[in-house]
Amino acid sequence: MADTRRLFFALDMPAGVQRQIVQWRAENFPADAGRPVAAANLHLTLAFLGDVSIEKQKALCQLAGRIRQPGFTLTLDDAGLWVRSRVVWLGPRHASLGLIQPANMLRAQAARNGCYQSPQPYHPHVTLYRNVTQSVAIPQPNFRWQFKVEEFVLYESVFAQGRTRYQPLERWKLSN
Ligand code: 2AM
């Protein structure tokens, strides 16, 4: 599609946590488990926007800037396999309001501006593997990553030279 960008709002993760997760993944999954997501691409999506024109991007950024929500601590202490989408994910066992509220606001703003939102309930997650092999076993949830979230980010998904890269375009503070 001409003059559109593939966009999503997400939380990024500290580089140290990304590295720890990738190390844990290497130690706990077989080499042929699936297509691993690169450390720098690990993130948690709040709202997926799809292919968006520059005008719509501007409108959605203005609305995002009106969101007043406090920062919070994100805990990743759960993992699972979605068989249909062939994804292995990490996520919070209990999603806090601090996470759900901004996600709901961004998803509602996106829907009102014509960005299709899945009718499935929002399931906050960090994708670890794509195209997983059927037989992959999920390790016991004997892990817990925790970090403070103080901002959310608009990302562009860029596919070039056979790789997907997430380019941050704009950031907004979450603050009390
Ligand atoms: P996923 O990791 O579960 O595939 C960039 O592609 C981000 O947007 C990823 O976090 C991806 O989630 C999410 N995403 C891609 N397509 C989506 C869709 N149709 N609905 C919701 N989220 C989507």
Short mmCIF file of all heavy atoms in Angstrom, two decimals, residues 110-134:
data_model
loop_
_atom_site.label_atom_id
_atom_site.label_comp_id
_atom_site.label_asym_id
_atom_site.label_seq_id
_atom_site.Cartn_x
_atom_site.Cartn_y
_atom_site.Cartn_z
N ALA A 110 -7.70 3.61 18.39
CA ALA A 110 -7.39 3.02 17.08
C ALA A 110 -8.68 2.59 16.38
O ALA A 110 -8.89 2.89 15.20
CB ALA A 110 -6.45 1.83 17.27
N ALA A 111 -9.56 1.92 17.13
CA ALA A 111 -10.82 1.43 16.53
C ALA A 111 -11.66 2.60 16.02
O ALA A 111 -12.20 2.56 14.91
CB ALA A 111 -11.59 0.61 17.55
N ARG A 112 -11.73 3.68 16.83
CA ARG A 112 -12.54 4.84 16.42
C ARG A 112 -11.98 5.52 15.18
O ARG A 112 -12.68 6.23 14.48
CB ARG A 112 -12.64 5.85 17.57
CG ARG A 112 -13.67 5.46 18.63
CD ARG A 112 -14.07 6.66 19.47
NE ARG A 112 -12.94 7.23 20.18
CZ ARG A 112 -12.53 6.82 21.38
NH1 ARG A 112 -13.17 5.85 22.00
NH2 ARG A 112 -11.50 7.38 21.96
N ASN A 113 -10.69 5.29 14.93
CA ASN A 113 -10.07 5.90 13.76
C ASN A 113 -9.90 4.90 12.61
O ASN A 113 -9.09 5.11 11.71
CB ASN A 113 -8.72 6.51 14.15
CG ASN A 113 -8.92 7.86 14.82
OD1 ASN A 113 -8.99 8.88 14.15
ND2 ASN A 113 -9.08 7.85 16.14
N GLY A 114 -10.64 3.82 12.70
CA GLY A 114 -10.71 2.90 11.55
C GLY A 114 -9.61 1.87 11.48
O GLY A 114 -9.44 1.24 10.44
N CYS A 115 -8.85 1.69 12.57
CA CYS A 115 -7.84 0.63 12.57
C CYS A 115 -8.50 -0.63 13.14
O CYS A 115 -8.92 -0.63 14.31
CB CYS A 115 -6.64 0.99 13.44
SG CYS A 115 -5.78 2.47 12.89
N TYR A 116 -8.59 -1.64 12.34
CA TYR A 116 -9.27 -2.86 12.77
C TYR A 116 -8.64 -3.40 14.05
O TYR A 116 -7.42 -3.52 14.15
CB TYR A 116 -9.18 -3.93 11.67
CG TYR A 116 -9.73 -5.26 12.13
CD1 TYR A 116 -11.10 -5.49 12.15
CD2 TYR A 116 -8.87 -6.26 12.59
CE1 TYR A 116 -11.61 -6.69 12.59
CE2 TYR A 116 -9.37 -7.48 13.03
CZ TYR A 116 -10.74 -7.68 13.04
OH TYR A 116 -11.24 -8.87 13.49
N GLN A 117 -9.49 -3.70 15.04
CA GLN A 117 -9.01 -4.31 16.29
C GLN A 117 -9.66 -5.68 16.42
O GLN A 117 -10.86 -5.83 16.28
CB GLN A 117 -9.39 -3.43 17.49
CG GLN A 117 -8.75 -2.05 17.46
CD GLN A 117 -7.22 -2.11 17.52
OE1 GLN A 117 -6.65 -2.54 18.51
NE2 GLN A 117 -6.57 -1.70 16.44
N SER A 118 -8.82 -6.65 16.71
CA SER A 118 -9.32 -8.02 16.83
C SER A 118 -10.38 -8.10 17.93
O SER A 118 -10.23 -7.50 18.99
CB SER A 118 -8.14 -8.94 17.17
OG SER A 118 -8.62 -10.12 17.74
N PRO A 119 -11.46 -8.86 17.68
CA PRO A 119 -12.48 -9.03 18.73
C PRO A 119 -12.00 -9.93 19.87
O PRO A 119 -12.65 -10.01 20.91
CB PRO A 119 -13.65 -9.70 17.98
CG PRO A 119 -13.05 -10.31 16.77
CD PRO A 119 -11.82 -9.55 16.43
N GLN A 120 -10.87 -10.60 19.68
CA GLN A 120 -10.32 -11.44 20.75
C GLN A 120 -9.96 -10.56 21.94
O GLN A 120 -9.52 -9.43 21.76
CB GLN A 120 -9.01 -12.11 20.30
CG GLN A 120 -9.12 -12.85 19.00
CD GLN A 120 -9.53 -14.30 19.24
OE1 GLN A 120 -10.12 -14.61 20.27
NE2 GLN A 120 -9.25 -15.15 18.28
N PRO A 121 -10.12 -11.07 23.17
CA PRO A 121 -9.70 -10.27 24.31
C PRO A 121 -8.20 -9.95 24.23
O PRO A 121 -7.44 -10.74 23.67
CB PRO A 121 -9.99 -11.17 25.52
CG PRO A 121 -10.63 -12.40 24.99
CD PRO A 121 -10.62 -12.39 23.50
N TYR A 122 -7.85 -8.81 24.78
CA TYR A 122 -6.43 -8.41 24.77
C TYR A 122 -5.63 -9.34 25.68
O TYR A 122 -5.98 -9.51 26.85
CB TYR A 122 -6.32 -6.97 25.27
CG TYR A 122 -4.91 -6.46 25.42
CD1 TYR A 122 -4.03 -6.43 24.35
CD2 TYR A 122 -4.44 -6.02 26.66
CE1 TYR A 122 -2.74 -5.98 24.48
CE2 TYR A 122 -3.15 -5.55 26.81
CZ TYR A 122 -2.30 -5.54 25.72
OH TYR A 122 -1.00 -5.09 25.86
N HIS A 123 -4.62 -9.95 25.15
CA HIS A 123 -3.76 -10.84 25.93
C HIS A 123 -2.33 -10.30 25.84
O HIS A 123 -1.63 -10.56 24.86
CB HIS A 123 -3.85 -12.27 25.39
CG HIS A 123 -3.16 -13.27 26.26
ND1 HIS A 123 -1.82 -13.19 26.59
CD2 HIS A 123 -3.63 -14.35 26.90
CE1 HIS A 123 -1.51 -14.19 27.37
NE2 HIS A 123 -2.59 -14.91 27.59
N PRO A 124 -1.92 -9.51 26.86
CA PRO A 124 -0.59 -8.90 26.76
C PRO A 124 0.49 -9.97 26.74
O PRO A 124 0.49 -10.88 27.57
CB PRO A 124 -0.49 -8.05 28.03
CG PRO A 124 -1.56 -8.53 28.95
CD PRO A 124 -2.61 -9.17 28.11
N HIS A 125 1.40 -9.87 25.76
CA HIS A 125 2.44 -10.89 25.64
C HIS A 125 3.66 -10.36 24.90
O HIS A 125 3.56 -9.38 24.16
CB HIS A 125 1.89 -12.11 24.90
CG HIS A 125 1.55 -11.83 23.47
ND1 HIS A 125 0.39 -11.19 23.09
CD2 HIS A 125 2.23 -12.08 22.33
CE1 HIS A 125 0.38 -11.07 21.78
NE2 HIS A 125 1.49 -11.59 21.29
N VAL A 126 4.74 -11.05 25.13
CA VAL A 126 5.99 -10.80 24.41
C VAL A 126 6.23 -12.05 23.58
O VAL A 126 6.39 -13.14 24.14
CB VAL A 126 7.16 -10.61 25.41
CG1 VAL A 126 8.48 -10.45 24.67
CG2 VAL A 126 6.89 -9.44 26.35
N THR A 127 6.23 -11.90 22.26
CA THR A 127 6.44 -13.09 21.41
C THR A 127 7.90 -13.50 21.46
O THR A 127 8.80 -12.68 21.22
CB THR A 127 6.00 -12.79 19.96
OG1 THR A 127 4.59 -12.52 19.98
CG2 THR A 127 6.27 -13.96 19.04
N LEU A 128 8.12 -14.78 21.75
CA LEU A 128 9.48 -15.32 21.83
C LEU A 128 9.89 -16.07 20.58
O LEU A 128 11.03 -16.02 20.15
CB LEU A 128 9.57 -16.31 23.00
CG LEU A 128 9.72 -15.82 24.40
CD1 LEU A 128 10.02 -17.01 25.31
CD2 LEU A 128 10.85 -14.82 24.50
N TYR A 129 8.95 -16.88 20.06
CA TYR A 129 9.18 -17.65 18.84
C TYR A 129 7.98 -17.51 17.93
O TYR A 129 6.84 -17.47 18.41
CB TYR A 129 9.27 -19.15 19.14
CG TYR A 129 10.56 -19.63 19.76
CD1 TYR A 129 10.62 -19.91 21.11
CD2 TYR A 129 11.70 -19.86 18.98
CE1 TYR A 129 11.78 -20.38 21.69
CE2 TYR A 129 12.86 -20.33 19.56
CZ TYR A 129 12.90 -20.59 20.90
OH TYR A 129 14.05 -21.06 21.48
N ARG A 130 8.24 -17.50 16.64
CA ARG A 130 7.19 -17.63 15.64
C ARG A 130 7.39 -18.96 14.90
O ARG A 130 8.46 -19.56 15.01
CB ARG A 130 7.25 -16.49 14.63
CG ARG A 130 7.08 -15.14 15.28
CD ARG A 130 7.00 -14.01 14.25
NE ARG A 130 7.03 -12.73 14.94
CZ ARG A 130 5.99 -12.21 15.59
NH1 ARG A 130 4.84 -12.85 15.60
NH2 ARG A 130 6.11 -11.06 16.21
N ASN A 131 6.40 -19.39 14.16
CA ASN A 131 6.47 -20.64 13.38
C ASN A 131 6.97 -21.80 14.24
O ASN A 131 7.86 -22.54 13.84
CB ASN A 131 7.43 -20.49 12.18
CG ASN A 131 7.00 -19.38 11.26
OD1 ASN A 131 5.86 -18.92 11.33
ND2 ASN A 131 7.90 -18.93 10.43
N VAL A 132 6.41 -21.94 15.43
CA VAL A 132 6.91 -22.99 16.32
C VAL A 132 6.56 -24.37 15.78
O VAL A 132 5.54 -24.56 15.12
CB VAL A 132 6.37 -22.85 17.76
CG1 VAL A 132 6.90 -21.63 18.43
CG2 VAL A 132 4.88 -22.90 17.80
N THR A 133 7.42 -25.31 16.10
CA THR A 133 7.15 -26.70 15.75
C THR A 133 6.07 -27.21 16.72
O THR A 133 6.02 -26.78 17.88
CB THR A 133 8.43 -27.53 15.87
OG1 THR A 133 9.05 -27.24 17.12
CG2 THR A 133 9.41 -27.20 14.77
N GLN A 134 5.23 -28.08 16.24
CA GLN A 134 4.07 -28.54 17.01
C GLN A 134 4.44 -29.05 18.40
O GLN A 134 3.72 -28.87 19.35
CB GLN A 134 3.37 -29.67 16.25
CG GLN A 134 2.70 -29.22 14.96
CD GLN A 134 1.53 -28.29 15.23
OE1 GLN A 134 0.89 -28.37 16.27
NE2 GLN A 134 1.25 -27.39 14.31
#
